Amino acid sequence: QPVVDAKTGMIASAEALIRWNHPEKGMISPGIFIPALEESGQISELSFYVVKQVKELIRARLLCGKKTVPVSINLSWMDFYDETMINGIIEQLQTGEIPRGMIRFEVTETSYAALEENRLGVLNAIRKEGAKILLDDFGSGYSSLSSLNVMHFDTIKLDKSLIDYIGDRNGEKLLLHITQLLQSFGMTITAEGVETSDQVEFLKNLHCDDIQGYYFSKPLPVNEFEDFVRKHTGL
């Protein structure tokens, strides 16, 4: 799914999302098959598969001289307990086949426990290879403000539940204070689930960095995403 620059409306990055189109049952919700993979202990295989697919997409576009933007990949809390998986990610980042920083990683607050146990080892090892760390779904649960100081995330992604406050006076005040706090930490802010022009204008006035949501684009298959990039960059 494209992520656009709030100021220019141009594509700035993207998030790689998993969708399962079952030959008989049609589209299966990630809310069903992701927990199943976590329970079976196979989620890290999927995570690593996505890393390789994203890397290959970026590499192929660069070889053809096409416009390329950084792509973020979601990591499960279980990935941080899989040493083979983490080492595999680091090795993929070290090949030199794509520029540093083109692959990013998103984690949710469900990963806090794993990160707190080995935050210096895992996060620093990934960052050492130029990858940024994004905190996803901020505001969707019991987000710990103290974790923002401990984990040192590069980008905070505001959950849609916060964006839906826009239009409510008290909700807008809350969003204002949240963004000011995050900006004081030097973190960039991406607003998720943005669907209306009013939301876009409000977020621009908050100096939000990037916007993601159906207002600009729904999640797209790779070929349609490449068309989106071409239309919005000419490359």
Side-chain angles (χ1 to χ4, degrees), residues 13 23 42 46 55 60-61 73 88 97-98 112 131 139-140 146 151 159 178-179 186 192 216:
S13 61
Q42 296 174 301
L46 178 60
K55 178 183 174 183
R61 290 186 62 82
I73 297 165
E97 295 176 295
I98 62 175
Y112 283 176
S140 62
S146 63
M151 303 300 178
D159 188 71
I178 288 175
T179 55
E192 297 184 286
F216 289 102

Side-chain angles (χ1 to χ4, degrees), residues 65-91:
K66 296 180 179 179
K67 170 70 175 179
T68 307
V69 297
V71 179
S72 63
I73 297 165
N74 292 280
L75 294 180
S76 164
W77 66 271
M78 293 187 68
D79 293 333
F80 294 98
Y81 292 103
D82 190 327
E83 187 175 345
T84 300
M85 159 67 177
I86 295 300
N87 288 337
I89 286 179
I90 292 172
E91 289 174 2

